[in-house]
Amino acid sequence: MITYIGSENIISPLGESATENFERVRINETGISLSKGIGVGKEDLYLSKIKSIPENNKFNVLLAKCLDSIISDSSANLINLKETIVIVSTTKADIQENLDTPIQHSIEKLKKDYNLQNTPLVISNACISGVLAMNTAHNYIQANIYKHAFVIGADVISDFVLFGFQSLYAVSNEPCQPFDKERKGITLGEGAAGVLISSDSSAFKKGPLEFVEGTSSNDANHISGPSRTGEGLYRSIQKTLELANIPSADIDFISAHGTGTLFNDEMESIAFERLNMNNIPLNSLKGYFGHTLGAAGLIETAISMQSIRNNTLVQSLGFQNEGTSGGINILTENLNKEVNTILKTASGFGGCNASAIIREI
Amino acid sequence: MENLKATLKEQIIERLNLEDISVSDINDDTALFGEGLGLDSIDALELIVLMENDYGIELANPEEGKEIFSTINSMADYISKNKK
Amino acid sequence: MNYINSYCHISNSAIKINGTISNSYEAMPIDEVIKAIYLSLDLKYSKFHKMDQLSKIAFLGIELMKQANPEISKYGENDIALLFSNSKSSAATDIKFQESYANGGIPSPSLFVYTLPNILIGEIAIRNKWYGENMFTVSNLFDAKYYAEYANILIKKSAEAVLGGWINVNEDKIEAFFFFVTKKDLKQLNLPLNTETLDKIYKGV
């Protein structure tokens, strides 16, 4: 049985649909800009911040916009079926407004507003949440437990998260430069993205792609630093390729995690080299969207799906000079070529790693 | 100076939750990281917070900490020279 | 068909293994429960003391499970999937981290790293060198249907076994439940993994 994926959308500073976001990314525009006096010591910092949506209730607005967009891009009334599940990916939800019950209100609201038959499943697994949410949807569909999954991910910028990353000295004082020699850390972003994952190709208004396979693996090494050997990422990609029965040579493009921190990007380069994936074109999209945490995996997947649809790979923004010990083929400019099969990866705190393969049908 | 060193040992044990370790386990020249006490990168960042909170000393970047936090001796030395 | 091979409850006043009380005491505050279990297991694991309450309880729950069922430790490093949930994510540590920087204070890095609930999965993976699948979900109540369905999925797909856990710390109350699922009924508990069975043993009825 094929798992289909489509109806992708993105809400970010660059726009409120996948196509609008892709058009802006294609001309190498970034959502990152300087915000005045917002750091823990009132310093100016770069953020990828959505200014068109009011701060109040932003997280819930993002979830709703995301869901509305998938609904309008799929066949009627799917959302209300018994065989449909909504899967929500987030790390901190609306923590700025609800420190004690960070997600419950939002989920109850979704269930009520959209008259959902099943309670949404909330995945909160650090920065791999988005990829894990798609993997979970695929697994449910293959097991015939649900027929359709609306997968949505969102996170918003808060003092909590910003100050936290600052306390780890992990925030760059310039727009992030994933994989670059001069990289200094992350740029925080906010946004939302979603996809419909279904066993039925007619559920989509526009032709879907195939979600082939996805897995996760732990580094078993450290809670806040990635494994020096890229152990979990290596194992997850290997497992995904194996289950998908696809040789690594068939992968046309890698949408990497590439946060812009010294250790993360180094670790990824080593994992890809160990897998002999050095020559496959690769990018990090953090230079366009910042690190959007629970939304990141979904935003980057949606752009990669647009890459398949448009046969255009986009430049890894912020990268100039090689700065990792594993040799990798980072896109220094846009590349027009036939793109059939892509690999999406993510890694996060807690030593978690995930990967997924999507291809054209 | 001896008082400062004793205080530092207590503070380190408390802030870094080193429950298995007592003040008498830490010599003034015990390596705090690596083979000695076995502190890690997050501990180093927490020591930077300790320096600022308790001694009013701000470190510009974590790299500076490497030398300063190598032993109780080096920490006490740095604090007594830079305390505000 | 997959089977629940062992399970464990931790509360403020008792530890139960496979539904039977193995240790009971006057109700204690969370930190004292944690300390008592840690000492009883005779562990020498210095990283333990750095963990937040959620991670400590998850860590100890898995240690108790391993003690009660040594089979767990015999699985290969990629074989065990870790499936954890709770109702409040990392709220208890989130509040402490927020307090560290409120009123102009310096945000604490060692608290921040525990402001994600899946960190407890990382602690268990590190301790046991388990490289398998990970997933942390947040739900209002213990969702036996989710655990049963998803554990069955993971075993069918790639895992040999699943360790599931539900851990809440609320005010000063612990509610923790762990279970171990494999393809065979190793311990002859006769507990096939399904929603009804899991719900029954979780509730202890």
Side-chain angles (χ1 to χ4, degrees):
Chain A
M1 183 170 58
I2 290 180
T3 301
Y4 297 95
I5 180 169
S7 304
E8 67 272 21
N9 77 74
I10 301 172
I11 300 153
S12 83
L14 294 177
E16 294 208 357
S17 70
T19 47
E20 195 185 349
N21 272 276
F22 187 71
E23 286 315 315
R24 306 275 294 271
V25 165
R26 205 208 301 242
I27 53 170
N28 305 133
E29 234 183 280
T30 180
I32 296 173
S33 63
L34 191 66
S35 288
K36 294 277 182 194
I38 47 141
V40 67
K42 306 278 179 231
E43 60 276 44
D44 302 345
L45 283 172
Y46 286 91
L47 297 175
S48 179
K49 195 169 171 63
I50 300 175
K51 289 166 185 159
S52 57
I53 300 173
E55 290 304 307
N56 183 26
N57 211 22
K58 202 179 213 176
F59 177 73
N60 291 325
V61 171
L62 284 174
L63 287 185
K65 276 178 179 275
C66 211
L67 210 45
D68 289 342
S69 167
I70 306 176
I71 290 169
S72 74
D73 288 343
S74 55
S75 56
N77 305 324
L78 277 189
I79 187 89
N80 304 115
L81 300 178
K82 185 74 197 150
E83 60 252 35
T84 295
I85 180 126
V86 174
I87 302 180
V88 177
S89 154
T90 186
T91 63
K92 300 314 300 175
D94 60 347
I95 187 145
Q96 198 91 319
E97 291 164 55
N98 276 306
L99 193 57
D100 189 42
T101 49
I103 186 73
Q104 283 87 341
H105 302 298
S106 305
I107 295 307
E108 274 154 30
K109 189 170 158 47
L110 277 184
K111 199 174 174 189
K112 190 164 146 273
D113 291 354
Y114 290 89
N115 193 20
L116 304 175
Q117 300 274 319
N118 299 296
T119 302
L121 179 70
V122 179
I123 297 183
S124 187
N125 212 102
C127 304
I128 73 164
S129 302
V131 179
L132 207 50
M134 292 188 292
N135 294 350
T136 304
H138 167 69
N139 289 340
Y140 270 138
I141 281 156
Q142 289 297 319
N144 217 0
I145 289 169
Y146 298 104
K147 285 199 166 64
H148 316 284
F150 288 70
V151 182
I152 55 177
D155 261 308
V156 294
I157 293 168
S158 58
D159 287 353
F160 186 102
V161 175
L162 183 62
F163 296 175
F165 278 106
Q166 282 194 282
S167 80
L168 300 179
Y169 291 81
V171 179
S172 175
N173 59 358
E174 287 171 44
C176 64
Q177 299 158 275
F179 298 109
D180 190 80
K181 202 175 163 189
E182 302 292 323
R183 66 188 183 276
K184 296 182 187 75
I186 68 163
T187 294
L188 207 56
E190 64 187 5
V195 290
L196 175 63
I197 295 184
S198 172
S199 60
D200 179 4
S201 66
S202 68
F204 306 84
K205 283 195 180 158
K206 193 175 156 196
L209 307 172
E210 180 185 359
F211 187 97
V212 187
E213 199 47 87
T215 68
S216 70
S217 177
N218 199 285
D219 283 338
N221 177 62
H222 195 273
I223 56 162
S224 59
S227 151
R228 299 279 169 126
T229 57
E231 201 54 43
L233 182 58
Y234 171 82
R235 290 184 193 225
S236 169
I237 296 172
Q238 205 176 39
K239 188 161 55 172
T240 299
L241 288 167
E242 252 173 49
L243 289 170
N245 198 18
I246 287 179
S248 61
D250 283 9
I251 303 289
D252 297 313
F253 162 67
I254 301 168
S255 173
H257 189 53
T259 60
T261 67
L262 223 45
F263 292 125
N264 174 78
D265 296 1
E266 170 71 5
M267 173 283 282
E268 287 187 54
S269 78
I270 288 168
F272 293 128
E273 187 169 84
R274 285 178 68 191
L275 288 153
N276 295 320
M277 298 179 102
N278 322 35
N279 295 322
I280 302 172
L282 165 155
N283 71 17
S284 159
L285 294 168
K286 302 287 192 292
Y288 299 92
F289 300 102
H291 194 348
T292 54
L293 313 174
L298 285 156
I299 289 179
E300 293 155 12
T301 297
I303 291 288
S304 303
M305 289 168 70
Q306 288 286 314
S307 275
I308 294 177
R309 295 185 194 280
N310 294 284
N311 287 315
T312 303
L313 299 176
V314 292
Q315 175 193 337
S316 197
L317 201 63
F319 173 79
Q320 282 182 316
N321 300 305
E322 211 171 296
T324 54
S325 56
I328 39 176
N329 181 12
I330 301 162
L331 287 155
T332 53
E333 53 187 23
N334 291 2
L335 185 62
N336 295 320
K337 67 168 247 181
E338 202 180 314
V339 184
N340 291 316
T341 308
I342 68 116
L343 172 72
K344 173 73 204 119
T345 67
S347 303
F349 281 169
C352 54
N353 301 269
S355 58
I357 293 174
I358 293 170
R359 73 179 162 203
E360 197 157 31
I361 295 167
Chain B
M1 198 65 160
E2 291 312 307
N3 278 345
L4 173 59
K5 288 179 188 172
T7 309
L8 270 176
K9 290 176 192 173
E10 281 169 18
Q11 286 176 322
I12 289 174
I13 288 169
E14 192 218 319
R15 301 294 164 78
L16 305 184
N17 298 313
L18 307 178
E19 289 216 0
D20 293 339
I21 289 164
S22 61
V23 169
S24 60
D25 295 330
I26 312 176
N27 293 325
D28 294 350
D29 59 356
T30 301
L32 298 179
F33 292 82
E35 286 298 301
L37 272 195
L39 303 186
D40 73 2
S41 56
I42 300 296
D43 294 321
L45 298 178
E46 204 60 50
L47 289 180
I48 294 178
V49 176
L50 186 154
M51 295 284 275
E52 189 172 342
N53 264 336
D54 295 52
Y55 300 99
I57 301 173
E58 277 187 55
L59 301 191
N61 74 62
E63 282 300 302
E64 282 183 56
K66 274 190 184 158
E67 223 162 89
I68 300 166
F69 302 143
S70 61
T71 63
I72 291 292
N73 277 334
S74 63
M75 266 185 94
D77 202 40
Y78 188 82
I79 290 169
S80 59
K81 281 179 188 149
N82 294 280
K83 194 175 171 181
K84 284 174 191 158
Chain C
M1 178 83 85
N2 301 310
Y3 295 88
I4 301 161
N5 278 274
S6 38
Y7 57 99
C8 167
H9 292 80
I10 301 175
S11 72
N12 295 69
S13 59
I15 296 167
K16 286 196 278 181
I17 302 286
N18 297 339
T20 309
I21 290 177
S22 74
N23 218 334
S24 70
Y25 25 82
E26 286 279 302
M28 293 191 284
I30 296 176
D31 287 330
E32 284 179 39
V33 175
I34 288 171
K35 200 166 183 182
I37 301 175
Y38 180 79
L39 291 174
S40 77
L41 286 165
D42 197 25
L43 301 169
K44 295 272 182 290
Y45 194 71
S46 60
K47 279 187 218 153
F48 178 80
H49 306 295
K50 298 182 179 290
M51 298 178 197
D52 72 347
Q53 285 180 339
L54 218 51
S55 288
K56 280 180 175 166
I57 294 164
F59 181 95
L60 292 174
I62 299 306
E63 291 299 314
L64 288 167
M65 293 278 287
K66 278 158 55 185
Q67 191 184 53
N69 183 356
E71 290 289 327
I72 296 172
S73 304
K74 293 181 186 161
Y75 281 82
E77 56 184 23
N78 293 316
D79 291 347
I80 298 180
L82 301 172
L83 204 55
F84 283 75
S85 304
N86 74 2
S87 66
K88 285 206 161 191
S89 183
S90 52
T93 300
D94 292 357
I95 291 167
K96 286 185 189 160
F97 173 67
Q98 198 266 349
E99 285 167 356
S100 78
Y101 67 78
N103 309 315
I106 304 168
S108 161
S110 58
L111 285 172
F112 182 63
V113 294
Y114 286 97
T115 63
L116 292 164
N118 65 297
I119 296 297
L120 66 86
I121 293 179
E123 295 287 12
I124 294 165
I126 294 165
R127 161 75 172 172
N128 298 286
K129 286 280 161 216
W130 286 337
Y131 298 89
E133 289 275 337
N134 291 177
M135 185 140 97
F136 198 100
T137 58
V138 180
S139 67
N140 256 345
L141 300 168
F142 179 82
D143 188 347
K145 180 171 176 285
Y146 156 74
Y147 280 111
E149 285 174 349
Y150 213 71
N152 282 328
I153 284 174
L154 289 174
I155 289 179
K156 189 174 175 205
K157 186 173 174 176
S158 62
E160 292 295 318
V162 172
L163 265 167
W166 168 258
I167 306 138
N168 273 309
V169 288
N170 217 339
E171 305 288 316
D172 209 22
K173 196 165 166 280
I174 303 177
E175 192 210 351
F177 171 64
F178 305 89
F179 60 95
F180 182 63
V181 179
T182 69
K183 295 172 179 172
K184 288 186 186 142
D185 193 7
L186 302 167
K187 292 277 172 185
Q188 306 288 314
L189 294 182
N190 196 22
L191 297 170
L193 177 66
N194 56 47
T195 306
E196 295 71 34
T197 311
L198 190 58
D199 212 34
K200 220 165 110 180
I201 63 168
Y202 160 70
K203 287 176 180 150
V205 290

